[in-house]
Amino acid sequence: MACASNASHTPIFLLVGLWKGGPPNNLLFLLFLAAYMGAMVGNLTLILLISWDSRLSTPMYYLLRGLSVIDMGLATVTLPQVLAHLVSAQPAIPTIRCLVQFFFFYVFGVTDTLVVAVMAVDRYVAICDPLHYPVVMNQQVCGRLLASCWTVSFLHSLLHAGLLFPLQWIGDNEGTVYLPHFFCDHRPLLRASCSDTQPNELAIFLEGGLLMMGPCILILLSYARIAITISRLPSAAGRKKAFSTCGSHLTMVTFLYGTIIWVYFQPPSQNSQQQDMAAAVMYTAITPLANPFVYSLRNKDVKNAFQRLLVPNRVTS
């Protein structure tokens, strides 16, 4: 598509996915506010609990604490702006702020997927090779793995933000571009551009696909090996205990990867703007909110630590 004379490198974007004009949508505002506050309080509680209770000073909870930090960042990149725009007269965002939001959203989002894959490897070693677990997965190793996840995510996000920066977007006579979304996400930005976006699409499917499929395959192989090991345990109680240590993580893996693959790795003609937004709400608001509560409700160690925090002299099993 050729760019018209009113195309611009530095437009003002209007994020109109949730904004319909007229009076503020109080119900939607309250729902997003509750999701954001729940995500911040839940993840912060989990971080403090893991830091406070020495019985949770294991590699698994070290990684879970790192995941909670990432989830807080992921929610903060998008939800405060959504709340502001829901009560504003015009949900506008300048180009630079839009690209900065895009960059940090990708940094936190990709790091989230990579850390989830590292947690799958942690469960694999703990269940399938428990004798070597203290050597293979200690806090020093986990620290290096977390640093690697952040580095890879930063470079990945820098590549895609760099490919977006030279694009032109078609706007109205005042240089305003309407994005049918509630934050600066990849697909809506590419749809609004009049420049050649083939390099961006190739980067999504090749580099982005490789970065997504690598951890995905690692998770599938880890859980396939875990399932075989659990099935060979002699007692039903042992199988139940082994599976319970993976249930929370497997729930979040399915939820996180399912929504991301739904949005980013379908052909553009097969996913609509409404589907994009629905999935985006899931991984920007619901996933950061659900993670701490899923782990708290399904994890006996976390529940016991929380009980010890509330009632210091309580004896937990």
Side-chain angles (χ1 to χ4, degrees):
M1 181 191 299
C3 291
S5 59
N6 60 340
S8 173
H9 288 288
T10 57
I12 297 293
F13 292 101
L14 283 185
L15 301 172
V16 296
L18 299 175
W19 183 83
K20 305 301 180 184
N25 190 325
N26 294 327
L27 177 59
L28 205 55
F29 178 87
L30 290 174
L31 289 174
F32 274 99
L33 179 61
Y36 181 60
M37 296 303 296
M40 299 303 288
V41 171
N43 282 290
L44 184 59
T45 300
L46 199 55
I47 291 169
L48 295 177
L49 196 62
I50 293 171
S51 302
W52 168 78
D53 196 313
S54 59
R55 301 185 199 187
L56 300 181
S57 58
T58 63
M60 173 183 171
Y61 294 107
Y62 183 88
L63 294 170
L64 181 54
R65 182 173 58 185
L67 186 66
S68 290
V69 172
I70 295 165
D71 284 338
M72 291 175 67
L74 184 62
T76 301
V77 166
T78 54
L79 297 186
Q81 176 189 273
V82 172
L83 293 171
H85 284 178
L86 283 172
V87 296
S88 66
Q90 197 175 51
I93 180 171
T95 303
I96 296 301
R97 275 184 54 197
C98 186
L99 294 180
V100 167
Q101 183 189 53
F102 166 86
F103 173 78
F104 281 106
F105 170 75
Y106 257 52
V107 167
F108 287 114
V110 173
T111 307
D112 201 349
T113 62
L114 296 177
V115 172
V116 164
V118 173
M119 293 175 74
V121 174
D122 172 80
R123 292 298 84 207
Y124 161 75
V125 178
I127 294 173
C128 301
D129 195 9
L131 295 179
H132 292 94
Y133 181 72
V135 177
V136 177
M137 294 298 293
N138 53 57
Q139 288 197 6
Q140 290 76 22
V141 172
C142 290
R144 289 194 288 269
L145 288 172
L146 283 176
S148 300
C149 292
W150 281 103
T151 302
V152 170
S153 178
F154 181 88
L155 295 175
H156 167 83
S157 306
L158 199 61
L159 167 66
H160 288 277
L163 288 173
L164 282 176
F165 191 79
L167 297 183
Q168 288 185 300
W169 289 273
I170 285 290
D172 58 21
N173 293 331
E174 297 178 355
T176 301
V177 176
Y178 293 84
L179 287 184
H181 210 53
F182 59 91
F183 71 99
C184 293
D185 202 2
H186 216 164
R187 287 294 184 191
L189 285 170
L190 293 182
R191 289 192 187 106
S193 175
C194 62
S195 302
D196 180 13
T197 60
Q198 285 189 354
N200 306 74
E201 297 286 355
L202 284 174
I204 290 173
F205 280 98
L206 296 180
E207 186 270 343
L210 180 64
L211 189 60
M212 181 61 59
M213 292 308 299
C216 232
I217 292 171
L218 190 62
I219 291 170
L220 291 174
L221 291 176
S222 297
Y223 273 102
R225 187 68 179 88
I226 287 170
I228 294 171
T229 301
I230 291 176
S231 68
R232 291 175 178 173
L233 293 177
S235 69
R239 291 193 294 270
K240 182 178 179 181
K241 182 178 179 180
F243 181 75
S244 68
T245 64
C246 304
S248 303
H249 180 254
L250 195 55
T251 300
M252 299 318 299
V253 165
T254 304
F255 191 77
L256 178 65
Y257 276 84
T259 54
I260 292 174
I261 291 172
W262 175 264
V263 174
Y264 293 105
F265 296 99
Q266 290 190 80
S269 60
Q270 291 187 12
N271 54 343
S272 68
Q273 295 170 357
Q274 290 77 18
Q275 291 172 333
D276 282 358
M277 285 213 305
V281 169
M282 299 294 280
Y283 60 75
T284 58
I286 306 303
T287 298
L289 172 66
N291 271 347
F293 293 102
V294 167
Y295 280 104
S296 299
L297 294 173
R298 294 182 61 93
N299 190 293
K300 184 177 179 181
D301 292 335
V302 173
K303 287 191 288 187
N304 288 342
F306 192 67
Q307 290 172 357
R308 288 191 294 270
L309 177 64
L310 295 178
V311 186
N313 295 325
R314 181 187 177 95
V315 177
T316 54
S317 58

